[in-house]
């Protein structure tokens, strides 16, 4: 615990040095690799220090955040090339990583809340500071106020929980509290973060306006904070959810179908990917709400898989954005003519996004579909539509961007660099190889 | 031109406050408040600036009226209980006295003079107004044990007015005064329960105000567009400034979250859930207008401004260290509580 904390703290002065961008990059990757060596297994909290420690759930998500943060630095070389506050950028990414590290590994609910909130500010700075359009101000305000509006009632709920349990340690929340108000106070912010279908509006805005690093961290980790919080707090609300889980499962499955329809008529690449993550996270929410073993484990697998695949899709969108200067699917056509090798990556990640076989998304989707169908056979209808249309919009994304005639507006064009292939490969490798030993990252209870 | 007399009046200003918060009879309280009032008037006045004279006049009238109401309140009390040298209060006079002290602090239904007066002051006087002038009235409100409904009403009024009225302002003095009204609501909630809580809230609030106003007064900024001029040349100051406003809004990694956290905890333990929830959600509106202030700074855009007030690179070790201590204060205090 301490070694990683100290390593990250010592990286703060490193990030402020000029021309140390690649050294920072190296340290981020070194951190992730060191962290792999400290694997935690199943439900026991290992490496406990103070009020921090990891069971498998925390471990996997901390590892994911380290990995995504490393890849964020790798993806944002444009900031270094233009030297647009690039030291500050490193510092923001690092502080985001520290906040996420603490949020995922805290054993105390209040500390989790604290770092959950702290992670908001670096994200806000990332979106507002390095975003492209003036609309990013609105997007930032949406992000901040959607989250804060729901997270402040959670603060009150936390102190209420102290009163009941005399402690905020997550393991001590051992008997259910059947209060609907408390359920909403605690979980509304997680539902917003996740995001649940009706309260997802901040997400496409934030994604569209964010720079590539902002989109990656949002899709990769920030949404998982919601899922993580729900997985941790669910045992308090067994009673509440046993009488109203049908509402949430209905919203998540039907919402997933509607969002899939919505994806099919997006013209903005980033917006399409953002909406597709709403659909996937809807599935995660449904799995958590069913209260089944399959559902909980599948939620974790799906979160990891979605974190990697949608982050990779945002990278791809940015790679073409840097060349074409637009996110529109009408201008981003025919890329297979210009970047033939990149078309392979587009295909691989579209396939992952639709949960095609060798990907972790498949494992997650199988587990979640199992849990949801087990809950009610009626879900089969919604899930069938959702799976089918997720394939549809993934193929739509692939074929629209890669095939067809490329736009005549393109005046000059540079082909892909090795860095970009490495970036995508490092997304793809864990996504498609972790399924070979799926129990290692899924069975956390 | 000697400003030596200002030193004298600073001393009497402080003495007045100390007399009123430590006296044992209502007459002493009243005398202290009057001393305090009479010594801030010459501090505010500046012969070259008519606005400050106007402000001091307004301030004098309002405060004198409030003092009179206070005097009336404790005279009624004396007639009723026949013990002149005592802090005991009957129900009615207690409400009268509390109301008069609310006027003196500028809590919400009685706040109308406050932004007007602030508009005419220079930044250092504004700082005195926002911080030191709150000590005496609020401490005495703590002594009056007035009924909870009155205080809760004032809390809600203050929080809502502070939030809503600040939205469309461009003058930073007005914004600071509305934010102060909002914080007065929180401080009232704190002093409803424990004195220590109020002290913490007040100290941290004063420190945050000091950090912000120090910068504003150094760069001579009084409206939002002028902030661009500062941000252009001083990226570090800009970052600190931004974080200070987040801190004032009560976002977690900064010290401003600490008093809110403590207040909410005490409120929940005393079963004031609804008031606490309302306060905390309405305070988001203040956070929104703080965010509007910091927006030109946080977008990292460095477009030049026509208002080029300060060209020089500004560096002050004191200001930097004050800011860094303040902003990281929450982490250090949390660590101090948990690891030592």
């Amino acid at each position: 615990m301490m070694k990683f904390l100290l390593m990250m703290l010592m990286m703060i002065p490193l990030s402020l040095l000029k021309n140390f961008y690649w050294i920072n990059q190296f340290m981020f990757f070194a951190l992730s690799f060191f962290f792999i060596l400290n694997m935690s297994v199943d439900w026991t909290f290992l490496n406990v220090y103070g009020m921090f420690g990891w069971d498998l759930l925390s471990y996997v998500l901390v590892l994911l955040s380290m990995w995504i943060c490393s890849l964020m630095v790798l993806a944002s070389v444009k900031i270094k090339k233009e030297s647009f506050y690039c030291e500050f950028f490193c510092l923001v990414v690092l502080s985001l990583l520290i906040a996420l590290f603490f949020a995922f590994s805290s054993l105390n609910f209040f500390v989790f809340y604290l770092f959950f909130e702290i992670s908001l500010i670096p994200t806000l700075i990332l979106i507002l500071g390095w975003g492209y359009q003036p609309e990013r101000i609105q997007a930032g305000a949406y992000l901040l106020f959607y989250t804060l509006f729901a997270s402040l009632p959670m603060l009150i709920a936390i102190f209420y929980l102290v009163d009941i349990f005399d402690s905020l340690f997550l393991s001590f929340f051992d008997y259910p509290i059947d209060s609907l108000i408390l359920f909403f106070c605690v979980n509304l912010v997680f539902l917003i973060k996740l995001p649940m279908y009706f309260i997802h509006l901040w997400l496409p805005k934030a994604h569209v306006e964010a720079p590539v690093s902002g989109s990656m961290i949002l899709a990769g980790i920030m949404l998982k904070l919601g899922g993580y919080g729900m997985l941790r707090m669910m045992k308090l609300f067994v009673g509440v959810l046993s009488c109203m889980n049908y509402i949430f499962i209905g919203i998540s499955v039907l919402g997933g179908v509607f969002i899939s329809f919505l994806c099919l008529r997006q013209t903005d690449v980033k917006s399409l990917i953002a909406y597709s993550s709403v659909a996937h996270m809807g599935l995660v929410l449904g799995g958590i709400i069913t209260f089944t073993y399959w559902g909980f484990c599948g939620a974790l697998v799906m979160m990891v898989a979605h974190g990697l695949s949608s982050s990779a899709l945002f990278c791809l969108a940015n790679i073409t954005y840097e060349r074409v200067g637009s996110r529109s699917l009408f201008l981003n056509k025919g890329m297979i003519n210009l970047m033939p090798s990149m078309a392979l990556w587009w295909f691989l990640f579209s396939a992952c996004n639709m949960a095609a076989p060798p990907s972790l998304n498949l494992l997650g989707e199988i587990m979640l579909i199992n849990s949801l169908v087990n809950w009610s056979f009626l879900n089969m209808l919604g899930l069938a539509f959702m799976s089918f249309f997720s394939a549809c919009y993934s193929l739509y994304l692939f074929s629209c961007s890669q095939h067809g005639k490329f736009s005549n507006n393109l005046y000059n064009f540079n082909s892909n660099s090795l860095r970009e292939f490495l970036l995508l490969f490092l997304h793809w490798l864990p996504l498609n190889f972790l399924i070979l030993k799926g129990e290692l990252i899924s069975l956390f209870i | 031109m000697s400003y030596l007399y200002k030193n004298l009046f600073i001393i009497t200003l402080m003495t007045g406050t100390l007399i009123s918060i430590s006296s044992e009879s209502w007459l002493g309280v009243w005398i202290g408040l009057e001393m305090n009032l009479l010594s801030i008037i010459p501090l505010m006045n500046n012969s070259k600036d008519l606005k400050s004279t106007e402000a001091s006049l307004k301030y004098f009238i309002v405060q004198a009226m409030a003092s009179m109401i206070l005097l009336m309140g404790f005279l009624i009390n004396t007639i009723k209980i026949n013990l002149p040298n005592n802090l005991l209060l009957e129900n009615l006079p207690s409400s009268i006295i509390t109301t008069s002290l609310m006027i003196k602090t500028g809590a919400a239904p009685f706040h109308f003079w406050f932004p007007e007066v602030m508009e005419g002051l220079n930044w250092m006087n504004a700082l005195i107004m926002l911080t030191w002038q709150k000590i005496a009235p609020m401490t005495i409100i703590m002594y009056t044990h007035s009924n909870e409904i009155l205080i809760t009403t004032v809390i809600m009024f203050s929080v809502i007015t502070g939030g809503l009225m600040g939205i469309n302002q461009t003058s930073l003095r007005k914004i600071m005064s509305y934010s102060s009204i909002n914080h007065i609501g929180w401080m009232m909630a704190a002093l409803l329960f424990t004195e220590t809580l109020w002290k913490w809230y007040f100290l941290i609030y004063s420190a945050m105000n000091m950090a912000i106003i120090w910068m504003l007064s150094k760069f001579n900024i009084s409206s939002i567009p002028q902030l661009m001029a500062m941000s252009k040349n001083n990226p570090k100051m800009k970052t600190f400034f931004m974080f200070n406003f987040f801190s004032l809004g009560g976002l977690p990694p900064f010290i401003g979250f600490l008093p809110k956290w403590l207040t909410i905890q005490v409120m929940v333990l005393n079963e004031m859930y609804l008031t606490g929830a309302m306060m905390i959600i309405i305070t988001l509106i203040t956070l929104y207008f703080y965010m509007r202030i910091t927006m030109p700074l946080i977008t990292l855009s460095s477009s030049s401004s026509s208002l080029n007030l300060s060209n020089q690179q500004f560096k002050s070790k004191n200001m930097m260290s004050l800011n860094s201590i303040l902003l990281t204060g929450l982490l250090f205090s949390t660590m101090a509580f948990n690891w030592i």
Side-chain angles (χ1 to χ4, degrees):
Chain A
M1 185 70 222
M2 270 303 260
K3 50 194 171 233
F4 299 108
L5 173 58
L6 281 177
M7 180 161 178
M8 284 188 292
L9 289 183
M10 295 303 148
M11 276 162 73
I12 292 177
L14 188 74
S15 69
L16 291 173
L17 295 176
K18 281 206 188 312
N19 294 325
F20 266 56
Y21 192 84
W22 291 116
I23 304 284
N24 265 299
Q25 169 71 87
F26 170 75
M27 293 307 278
F28 271 109
F29 272 120
L31 183 63
S32 328
F33 288 128
F34 291 147
F35 194 74
I36 292 175
L37 300 177
N38 254 47
M39 177 95 191
S40 287
V41 283
D42 63 48
W43 49 271
T44 43
F45 280 100
L46 298 178
N47 295 300
V48 176
Y49 168 74
M51 41 188 170
F52 303 104
W54 309 300
D55 63 348
L56 186 64
L57 175 60
S58 311
Y59 171 79
V60 168
L61 289 171
V62 172
L63 183 58
L64 183 66
S65 29
M66 285 176 175
W67 194 245
I68 296 287
C69 282
S70 323
L71 295 176
M72 271 162 78
V73 180
L74 191 57
S76 314
V77 172
K78 204 180 175 202
I79 292 171
K80 179 184 180 287
K81 272 188 195 145
E82 293 172 356
S83 61
F84 184 64
Y85 294 98
C86 98
E87 295 84 26
F88 189 41
F89 175 77
C90 286
L91 183 65
V92 168
V93 174
L94 187 62
S95 50
L96 195 50
L97 177 58
I98 293 174
L100 289 166
F101 177 80
F102 279 127
F104 283 128
S105 54
S106 73
L107 302 176
N108 184 311
F109 191 46
F110 184 79
V111 179
F112 167 73
Y113 167 80
L114 203 64
F115 285 101
F116 178 85
E117 295 276 280
I118 290 175
S119 69
L120 205 56
I121 290 176
T123 320
L124 186 74
I125 294 175
L126 214 55
I127 291 177
L128 290 177
W130 288 273
Y132 306 107
Q133 284 84 12
E135 283 83 14
R136 67 183 190 268
I137 291 172
Q138 192 198 12
Y142 262 66
L143 170 77
L144 189 65
F145 288 100
Y146 255 80
T147 317
L148 280 181
F149 175 75
S151 80
L152 293 173
M154 188 161 91
L155 185 61
I156 291 174
I158 286 173
F159 295 130
Y160 184 73
L161 288 174
V162 178
D163 229 9
I164 296 175
F165 290 104
D166 293 321
S167 165
L168 278 175
F169 271 71
L170 292 169
S171 331
F172 291 167
F173 290 160
D174 48 2
Y175 58 88
I177 300 168
D178 298 329
S179 155
L180 192 60
I181 294 177
L182 195 68
F183 172 77
F184 275 109
C185 279
V186 172
N187 280 319
L188 192 57
V189 64
F190 298 142
L191 294 175
I192 284 177
K193 266 281 162 171
L194 201 55
M196 193 173 76
Y197 174 56
F198 286 112
I199 37 185
H200 65 278
L201 288 174
W202 64 274
L203 184 79
K205 275 189 199 298
H207 271 308
V208 167
E209 299 306 328
V212 58
S213 49
S215 296
M216 285 168 74
I217 196 79
L218 269 174
I221 312 293
M222 302 304 275
L223 306 189
K224 279 71 202 173
L225 272 172
Y228 172 80
M230 286 200 85
L231 284 173
R232 286 276 187 232
M233 298 309 289
M234 267 309 109
K235 56 188 165 182
L236 281 182
F237 303 110
V238 177
V240 178
L241 281 176
S242 60
C243 39
M244 49 183 303
N245 49 5
Y246 62 94
I247 298 177
F248 290 101
I249 290 179
I251 290 175
S252 66
V253 173
L254 281 180
V257 177
F258 293 147
I259 285 286
S260 308
F261 287 146
L262 214 57
C263 280
L264 272 176
R265 42 176 296 127
Q266 292 298 320
T267 52
D268 186 327
V269 181
K270 272 188 145 181
S271 168
L272 196 159
I273 305 166
Y275 275 114
S276 86
S277 48
V278 179
H280 287 122
M281 294 314 278
L283 212 53
V284 169
L285 173 67
I288 296 172
I289 297 284
T290 54
F291 272 106
T292 50
Y293 192 79
W294 281 98
F296 271 44
C297 296
L300 176 60
V301 177
M302 192 67 182
M303 287 198 287
V304 176
H306 173 260
L308 288 165
S309 72
S310 69
S311 159
L313 282 172
F314 279 118
C315 286
L316 282 167
N318 183 61
I319 286 168
T320 43
Y321 179 77
E322 277 173 3
R323 289 169 173 76
V324 181
S326 165
R327 298 186 309 261
S328 167
L329 272 176
F330 298 122
L331 294 176
N332 274 320
K333 286 193 309 182
M335 285 300 147
I336 199 168
N337 300 311
L338 301 167
M339 298 191 286
S341 349
M342 201 47 85
L344 172 70
W345 289 107
W346 271 99
F347 178 73
L348 286 174
F349 284 112
S350 299
C352 288
N353 203 36
M354 69 174 92
S359 69
L360 206 55
N361 298 54
L362 177 75
L363 179 65
E365 206 154 290
I366 288 173
M367 293 170 97
L368 291 171
I369 287 175
N370 259 317
S371 71
L372 281 166
V373 171
N374 175 44
W375 187 79
S376 159
F377 271 108
L378 280 177
N379 273 336
M380 286 213 296
L381 195 65
L383 287 170
F385 271 108
M386 210 159 139
S387 298
F388 177 70
F389 281 106
S390 87
C392 283
Y393 63 70
S394 301
L395 277 178
Y396 165 66
L397 176 64
F398 171 71
S399 57
C400 262
S401 61
Q402 300 307 310
H403 291 276
K405 199 167 166 293
F406 60 84
S407 161
N408 285 328
N409 301 332
L410 295 178
Y411 198 66
N412 56 11
F413 207 86
N414 54 328
S415 59
N416 294 111
S417 65
L418 212 54
R419 173 188 65 84
E420 286 160 346
F421 287 122
L422 176 67
L423 172 65
L424 294 165
F425 178 71
L426 291 180
H427 277 109
W428 183 81
L429 186 78
L431 191 57
N432 283 275
F433 276 75
L434 276 177
I435 195 173
L436 298 179
K437 192 139 179 68
E439 77 270 18
L440 210 62
I441 57 152
S442 60
L443 306 182
F444 71 94
I445 33 177
Chain B
M1 186 68 200
S2 148
Y3 282 111
L4 209 59
Y5 70 95
K6 294 216 168 185
N7 287 342
L8 170 73
F9 284 118
I10 285 272
I11 292 167
T12 49
L13 175 96
M14 292 182 169
T15 321
T17 302
L18 295 181
I19 287 175
S20 79
I21 63 176
S22 53
S23 74
E24 287 191 355
S25 72
W26 284 104
L27 200 62
V29 169
W30 179 77
I31 287 173
L33 286 171
E34 289 296 289
M35 245 178 100
N36 172 278
L37 168 62
L38 291 179
S39 33
I40 198 170
I41 299 295
L43 285 181
M44 285 179 180
N45 275 334
N46 178 359
S47 51
K48 286 175 198 148
D49 185 5
L50 274 180
K51 269 179 108 179
S52 70
T53 319
E54 185 194 328
S56 72
L57 203 60
K58 276 180 188 161
Y59 187 66
F60 177 75
I61 291 169
V62 172
Q63 296 289 311
M65 189 187 71
S67 295
M68 253 150 41
I69 298 174
L70 183 117
L71 196 59
M72 181 183 78
F74 92 75
L75 285 177
I76 293 174
N77 189 51
T78 321
I79 292 165
K80 276 197 163 178
I81 63 173
N82 279 324
L83 287 169
N85 296 323
N86 204 315
L87 283 172
L88 272 181
L89 276 182
E90 285 273 310
N91 206 358
L92 171 74
S94 139
S95 301
I96 295 177
I97 289 178
T98 313
T99 314
S100 75
L101 293 168
M102 301 277 187
I103 299 174
K104 276 190 174 291
T105 36
F110 320 109
H111 68 280
F112 294 95
W113 60 273
F114 189 47
E116 303 296 319
V117 171
M118 283 281 289
E119 195 59 36
L121 302 179
N122 67 20
W123 275 117
M124 282 304 146
N125 277 322
L127 180 61
I128 296 177
M129 199 71 160
L130 289 170
T131 56
W132 186 266
Q133 289 302 89
K134 308 277 181 238
I135 295 178
M138 289 191 128
T139 318
I140 301 160
I141 288 174
M142 220 161 2
Y143 295 159
T144 55
H145 299 291
S146 59
N147 60 354
E148 214 170 277
I149 297 175
L150 177 65
I151 301 251
T152 317
T153 318
V154 170
I155 290 170
M156 290 316 296
F157 262 106
S158 304
V159 173
I160 293 172
T161 327
L164 292 182
M165 299 292 287
I167 289 179
N168 248 351
Q169 309 293 343
T170 49
S171 151
L172 281 168
R173 284 188 181 81
K174 283 237 166 81
I175 287 177
M176 290 310 287
S177 53
Y178 283 114
S179 109
S180 156
I181 290 170
N182 179 282
H183 279 277
I184 287 171
W186 280 84
M187 280 187 247
M188 291 280 171
L191 62 79
L192 209 50
F193 301 110
T194 55
E195 193 189 339
T196 327
L197 186 55
W198 176 78
K199 266 186 214 153
W200 274 106
Y201 203 117
F202 183 78
L203 273 176
I204 291 171
Y205 171 69
S206 308
M208 287 186 300
N209 259 328
M210 196 167 85
I212 290 174
I213 287 180
W214 193 356
M215 278 188 221
L216 291 176
S217 120
K218 263 278 181 297
F219 292 103
N220 205 4
I221 290 167
S222 54
S223 70
I224 294 179
Q226 293 171 344
L227 280 172
M228 287 298 275
M230 176 187 88
S231 68
K232 194 180 163 196
N233 293 321
N234 302 286
K236 267 180 203 153
M237 280 294 132
K238 166 175 103 170
T239 323
F240 277 135
F241 192 76
M242 180 170 96
F243 287 159
N244 266 317
F245 268 103
F246 282 149
S247 174
L248 199 62
L251 277 186
F254 309 119
I255 190 74
F257 180 65
L258 182 65
K260 292 208 163 139
W261 161 13
L262 297 177
T263 313
I264 284 295
Q265 180 156 18
V266 173
M267 286 182 89
V268 171
L269 291 183
N270 287 287
E271 302 190 340
M272 288 179 72
Y273 306 115
L274 195 62
T275 322
M278 295 278 280
M279 280 165 67
I280 209 165
I281 289 195
I282 293 166
T283 304
L284 280 185
I285 305 174
T286 53
L287 187 65
Y288 178 73
F289 66 75
Y290 297 152
M291 206 176 130
R292 268 191 56 224
I293 300 171
T294 53
M295 208 49 91
L297 314 178
I298 200 177
T299 43
L300 298 184
S301 57
S302 47
S303 65
S304 61
S305 161
S306 54
L307 296 161
N308 217 349
L309 295 177
S310 53
N311 267 322
Q312 77 282 16
Q313 265 276 3
F314 177 75
K315 267 181 191 151
S316 155
K317 287 231 169 72
N318 289 335
M319 201 186 272
M320 295 287 237
S321 53
L322 172 77
N323 277 305
S324 354
I325 292 168
L326 260 184
L327 293 174
T328 52
L330 178 68
L331 296 181
F332 286 123
S333 55
T334 326
M335 268 192 247
F337 279 121
N338 286 304
W339 273 301
I340 297 176

